[in-house]
Each structure stands twice: as C-alpha cells, then as structure tokens.
Amino acid sequence: MSTDIKTMAIAGAKTFAGVWDFSDFWKRSNTFHSYLRFVDAAERRWGRTDPALRPMQDLRTTLIGENAGFFQPYIGADQVWADDYGWCGLASAEASVYLQSIGDAPNAQKYADIARACWEQMMETGYDNSKDATPVPHGCGNISPDRKRNGGGYGTRNTVTNINLMLLSYRLHKLHGPGRYLDFALSQAAWFGQWFTLNYPSLDNGPYLRTLSGPLSLIHERPMAEKTYVREEYPDWERGWVWTGDQGLLLMGLAAILQEGTPPPGFSLRLYQDSFVKLAAGVESLLFGGSDKVLREPPFNSSFGHSYAGDYIGGRGVLLRYASEPLVSQTLGRLLSPQGINATANAVWNSRDARGVFGSLWNPAGDQAFNAGFVKAWGNGEPSITGWQGAAFDGVLQACGLDALTAAIRLETKA
C-alpha cells in the first residue's frame, strides 16, 4: 500500500468523528459496533498506550457516552424491527465487554442491560415458539410490533434476523453463563442445521445454503419454501439474491457453534464445519472474484435499488468485520483472503471524497467485469447495475470503510 495502514486508520477515524451522529436505530447500532471493533483492532496492533491512537480512543469514549441514551428510547417502541434489536444487542454487548475490561462496572452494566433487553424484544416480537412453520419450524421473523398487530404475522424469516439472534444468544451466554441464552443459541443453530440438511423444494435458485462445484457456497438472503417461507416483500426479494453482510454473519455464527463445541441435538459438528469451509470458499471465490480482488456487492436490484440501498450498502463492511474476526481465522486455520483484504483496504482509501468520506463504490473500474463474472458463476443477478440508488448516511459509508481497515489491520497483527 502506498499509504501505510496506520495513517489510513487515524485519518478514517478523524473523518468518522464528523459523521457518526445521525438518527437511525439499526444503522447507528451497526456503525457503533463497527467502530468498537475498529479501535480494538488498532489497539491490538499498536498498543493501547500508543499516543497516535488517542483521538480514536477519545471518540470511542464519546460514542459510548452518547449511544446508551440514544438506544434506550427505541427499546420496545413501535416501528422497530426484530433485526434492529440484533444489531443493537450485539453492539451493546461489545460495549459492555470493553467497559468491563477498563473497570467501568456501572456503564458495563448499563450496556449489558440494553443487550438483554434487545434479546427479549427479538423473542417477543419475532421468535416463533410454535411448531407450525413449514418446512422448518421456529426461527425469528423480521417484523415490527405495529405490523404484527395489523396482520403481519412473523414477517420475513430472513438470514440476518436469525443469525443476529443466534450470535446475540451466544454472546449473552458468554457474559452470563449457562441457561436460556445457550438454549436459544442451540435452537437457532438447529434452525440453520435443518435448512442445511433438509431435502425440500426450494422456491429460490437452489437450497438456502447453495453449493456450487468447488465446493463453494453462499447463503441466500432468506430461505424460500412452502408453506411458511414465501414472503417476497419487506424488503423486495428476487431470485438468487445474496447479500455480503449475511455471509460474514454466517461465518461468525458457524464459528461460534464450533467454538462452543456442543451441537444442537440431532446435528453433528461436522455439518457446521463443512458448511463453514464451503462458505469461506464461496466468499473468497465469488465475492473477491474480480481481477483486482476487491470485495464487491453481488449485483441484485434488491440490494442496489432505491427502496433498500441505504440498508444494504453497509454489507461489505459487515462481511469484512466478521470474516476477519480472530475466531473466524482460528476456525478456518488461516486468514481469509489476505490478498483481497489488502486490495479492498487500498481501494477504500482511494475512494475518499474531498471531505475524506469513503465512497459507496470502492473501485468502479472493475465493477462491470465483476458483475458479469458473478452472474455467470452464480446464475442470477443483473450485470448492468452501475451503482447504489438513493441516499446513504455518510456515517454508514465511513464505518463500512473502517471495517475494511479493521480487516487489513488484523492481517498485520501478531497473535
């Protein structure tokens, strides 16, 4: 890289200081989590006492001080969706762990309480305790209380909601010990395990976790099968749709199952290990698949269109943050796509605008070739997509770029 990663990190954090304060519950939760993991990576690489890191550490203190008060009024409110609580719960658990590590017990407890409240809201609003859903019972639907009251049922039981519930359950289990959190983590692991093993007529282009020759896999944005899993709206579904963020979340979720070492009843650890290896191969081959090795979003109108682009634009950051986590690397036995991560971090740095905000497209020159290659390999998508439609928060774009820098910093960190 022409500019060293430490310089990139310090400058990227400085720009984030001017764009993080916006009002959107789930996006603010995700960008908070992004920033916490970014500063953690920087401290592990260069040390907590490095004076060059002080401005980014001070900003972390500011975010921690402000975000609890921002999050709390949303808990239990109408128009907050189940998956929103997953993002907030995971960010709050991360903040609690950090605060514990510096001896700030009162604020650690405050964020732990938010994380638990988010979990409770996911269970109350989205989780299906019945055995009526077909072909796979249970799971967590993405719905808000007002929509549920007005006939929305459990909403769309998509990937992100169910992985977030599983990851939050495992995280709370680690914080609070054996009990209901582990029970529901295993229940969610079983939900995924059933989809991975069940022989069913998929309404999508292949099974939920679709495998191509290689073998390599990606998971669809949601399972599609009769009779329960047929929702095509909120957000609008298209055949074969995959989102980068789901791939990173699932890699982390599978790694968490394998770390726990106890599969749910009826399933083997081998199933989750095989799925993890194939998914990692799919991410490396298909998502870092351009000639320049830069990570790109697969070209689906559901991700790039006006209605939901502001939600899906941060997926690449979610993938990079989770796929580079030490637990994922330990489970894989190596770093995932080092060449791709370095190429992506460099492209992110070069995408900055005059204000220093990272761009939505990281290397546009290679986008059309990537789109064509992905559609040919995967069999679905729209190769003519040229960019994201609609507006995105600068804070989301900046945090997404910081996730790319987090992944690159971790490449240079000695275990």
Side-chain angles (χ1 to χ4, degrees):
M1 296 182 180
S2 56
T3 303
D4 69 276
I5 190 66
K6 188 175 185 180
T7 299
M8 294 180 185
I10 292 168
K14 183 178 181 180
T15 300
F16 188 67
V19 296
W20 68 269
D21 189 2
F22 57 87
S23 294
D24 186 290
F25 180 59
W26 98 257
K27 295 182 182 71
R28 178 118 154 209
S29 300
N30 180 49
T31 56
F32 183 39
H33 192 200
S34 167
Y35 193 75
L36 291 172
R37 297 309 292 151
F38 164 73
V39 181
D40 176 82
E43 290 179 335
R44 290 177 185 272
R45 172 66 181 86
W46 297 296
R48 278 189 174 181
T49 60
D50 186 332
L53 305 188
R54 180 58 61 83
M56 70 172 66
Q57 293 167 324
D58 289 344
L59 179 58
R60 174 177 59 191
T61 300
T62 298
L63 266 62
I64 288 172
E66 294 290 331
N67 276 335
F70 178 84
F71 295 148
Q72 286 165 328
Y74 285 91
I75 308 299
D78 275 0
Q79 301 179 3
V80 179
W81 294 63
D83 73 326
D84 298 345
Y85 288 116
W87 298 108
C88 183
L90 286 165
S92 297
E94 183 66 33
S96 181
V97 169
Y98 165 70
L99 289 163
Q100 288 177 25
S101 75
I102 62 170
D104 187 348
N107 282 313
Q109 186 62 51
K110 180 187 295 185
Y111 273 103
D113 290 344
I114 293 173
R116 286 195 296 269
C118 286
W119 187 88
E120 295 286 355
Q121 289 296 325
M122 293 189 82
M123 299 301 297
E124 179 179 338
T125 304
Y127 189 76
D128 182 2
N129 281 298
S130 77
K131 297 183 180 179
D132 298 336
T134 59
V136 177
H138 307 306
C140 189
N142 195 20
I143 193 76
S144 59
D146 55 305
R147 285 191 180 275
K148 193 169 187 178
R149 285 197 308 270
N150 292 303
Y154 289 99
T156 302
R157 304 181 202 211
N158 59 11
T159 301
V160 65
T161 308
N162 283 280
I163 283 287
N164 272 341
L165 177 57
M166 186 170 78
L167 285 173
L168 183 55
S169 298
Y170 272 122
R171 196 67 192 269
L172 291 173
H173 163 60
K174 294 296 183 185
L175 289 174
H176 301 291
R180 61 178 181 161
Y181 297 122
L182 180 58
D183 292 342
F184 273 99
L186 292 174
S187 175
Q188 285 298 102
W191 186 86
F192 282 100
Q194 285 182 280
W195 283 111
F196 295 170
T197 56
L198 182 70
N199 184 15
Y200 65 96
S202 175
L203 301 179
D204 210 329
N205 187 12
Y208 181 32
L209 183 67
R210 184 181 173 210
T211 300
L212 304 181
S213 60
L216 49 89
S217 297
L218 294 176
I219 196 164
H220 285 121
E221 193 271 348
R222 68 192 70 171
M224 290 292 287
E226 295 181 341
K227 297 179 180 177
T228 304
Y229 298 82
V230 296
R231 294 286 293 262
E232 296 186 7
E233 72 281 355
Y234 303 118
D236 298 332
W237 170 84
E238 61 185 303
R239 187 172 172 84
W241 182 21
V242 293
W243 180 51
T244 49
D246 290 331
Q247 317 311 314
L249 286 163
L250 183 58
L251 282 171
M252 190 68 181
L254 293 171
I257 295 170
L258 295 168
Q259 178 196 44
E260 186 64 30
T262 304
F267 298 93
S268 68
L269 286 178
R270 180 63 180 270
L271 167 67
Y272 299 102
Q273 177 68 37
D274 289 348
S275 299
F276 176 87
V277 170
K278 289 187 289 188
L279 181 62
V283 168
E284 290 183 314
S285 178
L286 295 171
L287 303 186
F288 289 95
S291 60
D292 57 9
K293 301 301 180 184
V294 172
L295 174 66
R296 290 181 172 85
E297 188 65 48
F300 288 94
N301 286 308
S302 293
S303 299
F304 283 86
H306 282 280
S307 297
Y308 297 104
D311 288 325
Y312 288 95
I313 199 168
R316 292 158 298 166
V318 175
L319 169 58
L320 289 161
R321 184 192 323 152
Y322 279 111
S324 64
E325 282 285 356
L327 178 59
V328 171
S329 299
Q330 292 161 14
T331 304
L332 190 60
R334 59 178 176 83
L335 298 168
L336 185 141
S337 194
Q339 183 182 2
I341 286 173
N342 275 325
T344 300
N346 201 40
V348 165
W349 178 250
N350 290 331
S351 75
R352 292 166 300 147
D353 65 15
R355 302 165 301 157
V357 176
F358 299 129
S360 60
L361 299 175
W362 290 343
N363 188 17
D367 288 355
Q368 289 304 298
F370 169 83
N371 289 352
F374 179 89
V375 172
K376 180 178 180 180
W378 188 245
N380 298 98
E382 177 48 68
S384 65
I385 287 174
T386 57
W388 303 88
Q389 305 299 310
F393 292 107
D394 288 339
V396 174
L397 295 177
Q398 195 66 14
C400 190
L402 293 181
D403 285 322
L405 301 186
T406 296
I409 291 166
R410 287 169 172 163
L411 293 180
E412 298 186 357
T413 303
K414 295 179 181 178

